[in-house]
Amino acid sequence: MTSPSLLRLVWPVWAAGLPGAAMVLPDFRNAVPDLHMPPLVPGDREAAHALYRGEFNFCSYRVKAGPEGVFAAASPSPAWSKALHGFGWLADLLGSGTEMHRAYARAQLQAWHAAVAQSEARRDTAVTSRRLIAISQFWPELLRGASMAFAQDLARMASRDTASLMSALPRQSGSREGLLAALGLARVALSFRGFDSLKSFALSRLASELDRFILPDGGPQTRNAGDLVDVLVDLVPLRDAMSLARREIPHPIHAAIERAMPMLRFFSHGDGGLALFQGVSRLRTGALRFLLERDTVLGRTHVHAMHSGFVRLGSGPACAIMDVNSGPLAAAPLAFEFSDGGQRIVVNCGFPQDHNPQWMKACSQAAAHSTAELEPKGPGNGQSFRKLLGWASDRQEPETEVLAETLVTSDGSVVQCQHDAYAASLNLLHRRSLYLACSGGDLRGEDTFVPAKNHARDSEDSSFVIRFHLHPGVRPELLHGRSAVNLLLANKLEWHFVARGGAVSLEDSIYLAADGPPRNSQQIVIRGMATPGSRVNWALRTPGRTE
């Protein structure tokens, strides 16, 4: 009879979509390291000291390990739990190079193996992939000075996670999870000698999954730029290690990285962090810096990324990024962000780092973005932003069609777009035009509401709310007459906002992409009646750079 230990090393190949009867998975008990793939982002020494004190700080939560260890502690959020079980913190502990931290890391891994190796915490595909990458990445450091018992536990952990990813591939092919499973398998297969069967399979699947996930314009299938960063943080070291070892790199892997790198710049503001669209909850400034340092192609950044559904207008030190996507992922069509150099001015609220479901749902709505929203009633009563989010959290928008055209001239850049999210309910289309002067000091916008031609009935009485969420570093002052706002940035530069066509006010907002808890901020709001042909003109200018 076949022993249970041998059964763990054999996996049906048909389950992974390959011809044949069975694949023998790698035996980690005698694994010999091969290609070295150090973390793209180096470990943090201060974080290592905090971990050694039992402080596990992830996703804006700090959990102190008790006498029974951190894996027995109550999780403050699902995101914190995923960060803990993904073992990304090994980069901090083992990056310090001290035996004290290595011993502590081994103790935590053994505690995890004893406490949760068979629990639900290890079954999430993305978490499993991260954990397997971390283990294979630091294999030599973990085994340096380790006991035989620890070495056996580490081999069992790696074998289980490899089998788990193999099992996940056929179920999740074509998704973010399927890509992460293939990436985890490819990383572990290339990290050790003798894993040729797994290496061939994993690289083939990785190439296939990358073709699906990274769109022709380089954006991610999910439209979440943070997902693109997550993939490249593990993919670029794989490419670099193969190149250094003079191994043949499959063309789809090279091509995917070459497509994606310009899109990282597309999604970045002047402060080096990501724009806040479609679930982005962290700016990822450090990871972006290290990734772009590895960009050897320097491909041209798009103005209109048609497959991803975004437009970027860049002039001088300023840039405006707008969501122009059609389809079910168009939760806040025509939302935009605007920055001047390293200073963000107009932002979206972002998404909570702890992935709190209620906040995630609320922050997906138009009210949490810098765009226009229509309501089938009279002008709003100035209710608080939190109440607006609470109202919007249960609202279901239909699938949206967005049309967009861009034009770049010697004077500046223009985008003209419209969406039909309110055509069925209110018989109105929202049109938005943005113009950014070549100096970067003059951003002008126009929002209009016109009858939807495909709907014969009259338009409903409705009101519009146009929001411009401001970064917490911006200090706004509403001027006398209530049609202009002075904006003082953190670098002491002044910008002026003016508008006509509606009542201008300042209201509370919130910013969720900062390190730590959410930060209070403010928003400029324009309100009025959305009759057919209603037009609102507005402008953001800074003295000395207008034309």
Side-chain angles (χ1 to χ4, degrees):
M1 181 180 293
T2 306
S3 69
S5 62
L6 181 59
L7 284 174
R8 283 198 296 268
L9 299 177
V10 178
W11 193 256
V13 171
W14 54 262
L18 291 179
M23 172 187 285
V24 178
L25 293 182
D27 187 349
F28 290 90
R29 292 171 297 184
N30 299 305
V32 177
D34 190 6
L35 294 187
H36 179 47
M37 301 181 217
L40 183 81
V41 181
D44 186 293
R45 186 175 291 272
E46 290 186 10
H49 291 318
L51 287 164
Y52 189 73
R53 294 192 302 267
E55 299 172 5
F56 289 76
N57 305 316
F58 314 129
C59 306
S60 301
Y61 287 101
R62 174 182 174 273
V63 173
K64 177 74 173 179
E68 297 181 355
V70 69
F71 297 108
S75 171
S77 78
W80 182 92
S81 181
K82 289 180 179 180
L84 176 68
H85 295 289
F87 289 5
W89 40 268
L90 282 178
D92 295 322
L93 277 175
L94 300 177
S96 68
T98 66
E99 176 55 33
M100 174 180 70
H101 288 159
R102 279 197 298 272
Y104 186 75
R106 289 194 293 266
Q108 297 310 306
L109 265 61
Q110 283 189 297
W112 181 90
H113 181 68
V116 297
Q118 298 297 333
S119 74
E120 288 293 332
R122 65 173 290 272
R123 293 192 174 96
D124 182 278
T125 300
V127 174
T128 301
S129 178
R130 296 277 177 224
R131 183 169 57 246
L132 187 58
I133 288 173
I135 290 173
S136 61
Q137 196 169 49
F138 295 107
W139 193 271
E141 288 88 345
L142 288 168
L143 291 182
R144 189 181 307 163
S147 67
M148 182 61 70
F150 174 80
Q152 292 173 345
D153 284 347
L154 192 65
R156 293 189 188 99
M157 291 166 64
S159 294
R160 285 171 176 164
D161 282 347
T162 301
S164 179
L165 292 184
M166 291 289 289
S167 175
L169 272 174
R171 299 193 311 270
Q172 299 179 335
S173 180
S175 67
R176 171 180 176 270
E177 288 70 23
L179 171 58
L180 293 176
L183 184 52
L185 289 171
R187 284 286 301 256
V188 74
L190 288 164
S191 294
F192 301 99
R193 296 177 193 167
F195 291 5
D196 294 339
S197 177
L198 178 61
K199 178 169 62 179
S200 176
F201 161 72
L203 286 176
S204 176
R205 284 303 290 259
L206 177 58
S208 176
E209 297 294 336
L210 282 170
D211 274 344
R212 294 189 185 99
F213 184 80
I214 298 184
L215 302 175
D217 59 22
Q221 181 187 48
T222 59
R223 305 190 68 241
N224 182 328
D227 290 342
L228 190 63
V229 173
D230 286 341
V231 169
L232 291 175
V233 160
D234 290 322
L235 184 63
V236 169
L238 180 149
R239 177 204 64 180
D240 291 350
M242 293 185 72
S243 178
L244 188 64
R246 300 183 183 277
R247 305 277 182 88
E248 182 181 359
I249 304 171
H251 174 71
I253 294 177
H254 254 317
I257 295 174
E258 291 179 5
R259 292 198 307 275
M261 284 296 190
M263 282 302 289
L264 290 183
R265 294 194 298 275
F266 180 101
F267 285 122
S268 301
H269 282 290
D271 62 359
L274 293 175
L276 304 179
F277 293 95
Q278 203 62 35
V280 173
S281 59
R282 292 185 295 153
L283 303 185
R284 306 300 297 272
T285 307
L288 277 169
R289 183 177 74 254
F290 285 106
L291 280 169
L292 293 177
E293 286 176 355
R294 307 289 184 94
D295 183 7
T296 58
V297 178
L298 299 177
R300 183 177 179 180
T301 303
H302 298 283
V303 174
H304 187 179
M306 296 184 182
H307 295 88
S308 299
F310 289 96
V311 165
R312 177 188 176 94
L313 305 182
S315 297
C319 80
I321 305 172
M322 180 187 283
D323 188 339
V324 293
N325 186 62
S326 297
L329 296 182
L334 312 193
F336 82 103
E337 293 196 331
F338 179 64
S339 63
D340 181 38
Q343 306 298 312
R344 297 190 184 216
I345 302 175
V346 178
V347 297
N348 297 312
C349 293
F351 290 76
Q353 294 187 34
D354 64 358
H355 294 179
N356 177 283
Q358 184 177 359
W359 272 101
M360 288 294 289
K361 188 174 183 180
C363 290
S364 299
Q365 307 300 320
H369 295 77
S370 293
T371 189
E373 187 175 21
L374 296 180
E375 301 178 33
K377 55 184 178 182
N381 56 9
Q383 58 190 318
S384 73
F385 180 65
R386 289 181 183 271
K387 288 182 179 179
L388 278 172
L389 285 183
W391 167 81
S393 63
D394 292 326
R395 183 172 179 171
Q396 298 294 322
E397 298 289 358
E399 185 167 321
T400 302
E401 181 182 10
V402 179
L403 304 176
E405 292 184 356
T406 59
L407 177 66
V408 179
T409 71
S410 58
D411 296 325
S413 305
V414 179
V415 56
Q416 296 178 319
C417 43
Q418 74 173 32
H419 74 83
D420 65 354
Y422 301 103
S425 58
L426 301 174
N427 195 34
L428 287 173
L429 301 176
H430 172 212
R431 290 178 178 169
R432 167 167 279 184
S433 298
L434 291 188
Y435 163 79
L436 180 61
C438 62
S439 67
D442 186 1
L443 176 70
R444 304 175 202 173
E446 181 177 89
D447 290 287
T448 58
F449 307 97
V450 299
K453 294 181 180 178
N454 293 335
H455 296 265
R457 64 179 178 77
D458 293 336
S459 301
E460 296 280 348
D461 289 338
S462 56
S463 61
F464 65 78
V465 183
I466 306 175
R467 295 185 174 88
F468 304 82
H469 294 279
L470 301 175
H471 186 271
V474 177
R475 291 172 53 190
E477 179 187 3
L478 185 64
L479 299 183
H480 182 69
R482 303 177 67 83
S483 63
V485 182
N486 273 356
L487 305 175
L488 181 63
L489 309 189
N491 63 356
K492 307 304 181 184
L493 185 66
E494 285 191 356
W495 281 72
H496 304 304
F497 177 90
V498 294
R500 67 171 183 267
V504 178
S505 63
L506 285 177
E507 299 182 11
D508 291 337
S509 182
I510 198 164
Y511 186 71
L512 297 164
D515 291 333
R519 296 173 62 186
N520 292 326
S521 61
Q522 290 188 278
Q523 59 177 317
I524 300 170
V525 179
I526 306 174
R527 298 180 185 273
M529 294 302 299
T531 57
S534 295
R535 185 184 310 274
V536 178
N537 294 96
W538 52 267
L540 268 166
R541 298 188 176 102
T542 184
R545 259 199 286 146
T546 55
E547 299 176 350

